[in-house]
Amino acid sequence: MKSTTTMKLRGVDDILSFIDSRTGINGRAGVIWWLALGGLFLDAFANSALSAGLGPMTRNLQLTAAQVALLTSFASWVAIAFNPIGGWMADRWGRVVPLVTAKVLAIVGALLVVFASNFETIIVGRFFVGAAYGIDFAIAMAVLAEFTPARLRSRLNTWQGMWYTAVCTNLLLALLFFSWDVGDTIWRYSVAATAIFAIAILILQYSFLVESPIWLARKERLDERPWP
């Protein structure tokens, strides 16, 4: 006769014990893990989207040296400012809403840059990209930690591999666009690829992400937990 037991989760400590009892990051936790990494892939891809096309963009829009300097650093400065804001959003609204919001900001930023006809529009677009990067990175790392058993915490370093993969993918796509002989508008293709990736990750995260049980426990909303 087969017997089954059910773990009763009453608070944060119970949630942590349940997660740490897992032998791997699989099932729903595995899906959430890779969705969070997908967001980090997008962060790196969006941050490096202009790298290969910076020279052509400079010629295409006749940018000055000062404008190029501001353009290459602006998104990172915005990300630094929005990183603590992302933490505040995660504490107030949970993990899912800010992560999805970050993808919307990334899409808006990418589209503004793709169709920009002047430097000012590109800066506005890069502001949205930086905001998305800052919000997403802070929360995605928290999600990875919250769904990872203590014995497997070394796997959190996977985000670095995802970052390098995104940058290399950017380069490969730039080579593809170059082979299409698109000229100095190649930078628009690279940024358009960012928008496509952002839309795909937005759909996946909106469809499959569930709220962190640790956050729910801290908010005394365990009746909404996604796990048994």
Side-chain angles (χ1 to χ4, degrees):
M1 187 174 181
K2 188 176 182 180
S3 63
T4 59
T5 58
T6 302
M7 178 180 286
K8 293 183 179 180
L9 305 178
R10 301 182 181 86
V12 175
D13 290 340
D14 288 344
I15 295 290
L16 291 173
S17 295
F18 174 73
I19 293 172
D20 289 341
S21 70
R22 310 290 288 181
T23 58
I25 308 172
N26 45 38
R28 180 173 291 176
V31 172
I32 294 169
W33 220 74
W34 285 104
L35 287 175
L37 284 174
L40 295 176
F41 175 95
L42 177 63
D43 295 338
F45 194 92
N47 200 43
S48 59
L50 295 180
S51 298
L54 187 59
M57 174 190 279
T58 302
R59 294 191 298 270
N60 193 219
L61 298 179
Q62 298 181 333
L63 302 179
T64 66
Q67 288 174 327
V68 172
L70 178 59
L71 189 61
T72 54
S73 62
F74 190 64
S76 295
W77 284 111
V78 174
I80 292 172
F82 271 83
N83 195 262
I85 294 175
W88 174 81
M89 293 173 68
D91 182 65
R92 185 175 180 83
W93 293 303
R95 301 349 182 196
V96 177
V97 172
L99 286 176
V100 170
T101 300
K103 306 309 170 302
V104 174
L105 293 176
I107 293 169
V108 171
L111 292 178
L112 282 172
V113 176
V114 168
F115 297 107
S117 59
N118 54 58
F119 171 75
E120 290 75 17
T121 304
I122 293 176
I123 282 294
V124 173
R126 295 301 287 177
F127 173 87
F128 282 102
V129 169
Y133 171 20
I135 294 171
D136 188 83
F137 192 88
I139 302 172
M141 292 302 298
V143 169
L144 290 175
E146 289 171 342
F147 283 89
T148 303
R151 69 173 66 90
L152 300 176
R153 287 293 164 82
S154 61
R155 295 189 185 181
L156 293 176
N157 290 326
T158 303
W159 78 267
Q160 297 181 18
M162 188 62 69
W163 195 274
Y164 299 140
T165 300
V167 174
C168 292
T169 301
N170 232 326
L171 175 59
L172 292 175
L173 286 176
L175 293 173
L176 173 64
F177 300 145
F178 181 78
S179 71
W180 292 353
D181 196 24
V182 296
D184 283 350
T185 62
I186 187 173
W187 60 274
R188 297 186 189 271
Y189 288 79
S190 296
V191 179
T194 301
I196 292 172
F197 279 122
I199 291 171
I201 296 172
L202 169 63
I203 293 172
L204 290 172
Q205 289 192 345
Y206 182 79
S207 301
F208 298 108
L209 275 182
V210 296
E211 193 50 76
S212 163
I214 294 177
W215 181 80
L216 290 173
R218 286 173 178 160
K219 296 297 180 179
E220 299 182 350
R221 292 166 53 182
L222 272 177
D223 57 316
E224 303 175 29
R225 67 182 182 272
W227 291 3

